[in-house]
Amino acid sequence: KAKQSGKNRYQLYNSEICEIMREKRALVSELRKAIQEEELNVYYQPLFDLKSRELIGAEALVRWFPKGKDSVPPSVFIPIAEEYGLIDQLGYWVLRTASEQLVSWQNTKQSLIMSVNVSYQQFGRSDFVESVRNVLQMTKMPPHSLHLEITESTALINLAHTKHILHQLQMSGVSIAMDDFGTGYSSLSCVKDLSIDKLKIDRSFITNISTDERDAAIVKTIIALSRNLRMKVLAEGVELPEQLEKLAEFECDEIQGYLFSRPLPADQFEALFLASQSSSA
Ligand code: C2E
Ligand code: MG
Ligand code: MG
Ligand code: MG
């Protein structure tokens, strides 16, 4: 009897897996089509200087709205794109689109920067640096306006390779930001061994910064670390005024989060950006 029900449970489990696999395969082919037909979108989340509250740039975040269906979040489709070899094309498209966009916004404000996420697979390709240089040339984007975000886990896959690539990118004028800083297994090794221009403190440390002394101490320490090593530091996921207050007290350089703005489609970002320009002028 027990054996029987165990077997049934196994079969149920098995059919659920089949169903999940089927859905995943369908998603993969839809994603492939979406990339080919440019059904993806790039949204832009504003980045601010904490002290002056000036809008200093944007992070490009890819969005997918399949026709007639609910949108699929990047936390779902990026890993699928990585698993099925679609991320190179997708990542290159985001980089090119965001760069073209920035160049047009720079007609209004020259100093605006664009921060673009790089997947570990793009980063591992032998022609990655070349593809970045191609985009810079093609779009005439000033290299110092481009910030590439990599995570600690991407950086640590092959430290020697990472050192080499970061050096080449920085020689071209491109800046490097360490994304989700503090969530990896050896955050300190990353900053010890690599040349990094900016730390982006992960949202998980910011969430309770005003109520949890330990989180506050960690954030304060990361900010001091970045100062001592001459890196910029940005806080991700700032949602509340009391979080901002703490970050101001700790003298964090830059902020990003829903308190200021969600990621926006290009036209809405532009409206916000132009409004911020005229109010500061
Ligand atoms: P990320 O690079 O750490 O991006 C920040 C994420 O935090 C974004 O989620 C953004 O919408 C969200 N966020 C920003 N402010 C707040 C806030 O105040 N509160 C909360 N709760 N969330 C906030 P999103 O757009 O869903 O992207 C998730 C992740 O997907 C990104 O994390 C990044 O790892 C990846 N991703 C997005 N676009 C791309 C892309 O073009 N290429 C690659 N390789 N990865 C991407
Ligand atoms: Mg990022
Ligand atoms: Mg991040
Ligand atoms: Mg994050």
Side-chain angles (χ1 to χ4, degrees), residues 179-180 202 236:
D179 203 358
D180 305 337
D202 191 67
E236 292 190 296

Side-chain angles (χ1 to χ4, degrees), residues 45 59-63 73-75 78 82 87 90 94 117-119 122 149 179-180 203 236-239 256-259 261 263:
Q45 187 174 33
E59 177 173 0
L61 294 159
V62 67
R63 292 290 179 266
S75 56
I78 294 284
E82 285 170 337
I87 194 70
L90 189 159
V94 171
N117 293 285
V118 175
S119 155
Q122 290 172 274
E149 299 190 5
D179 203 358
D180 305 337
R203 176 161 58 90
E236 292 190 296
V238 181
E239 296 183 345
Q256 172 179 6
Y258 295 171
L259 178 62
S261 172

Side-chain angles (χ1 to χ4, degrees), residues 21-38:
M21 297 284 286
R22 228 187 332 271
E23 279 174 17
K24 193 167 170 187
R25 268 198 303 275
L27 207 59
V28 171
S29 67
E30 281 178 56
L31 180 59
R32 189 170 280 129
K33 216 175 99 221
I35 295 170
Q36 269 151 18
E37 295 171 9
E38 309 213 339

Side-chain angles (χ1 to χ4, degrees), residues 77-92 117-129 131 149-151 153-155 157 161 165:
F77 71 83
I78 294 284
I80 291 180
E82 285 170 337
E83 187 179 341
Y84 288 85
L86 303 172
I87 194 70
D88 291 327
Q89 206 186 340
L90 189 159
Y92 185 80
N117 293 285
V118 175
S119 155
Y120 73 94
Q121 285 195 349
Q122 290 172 274
F123 193 79
R125 281 181 66 110
S126 57
D127 61 355
F128 176 63
V129 174
S131 76
E149 299 190 5
I150 62 168
T151 62
S153 54
T154 296
I157 291 172
H161 171 81
I165 300 297

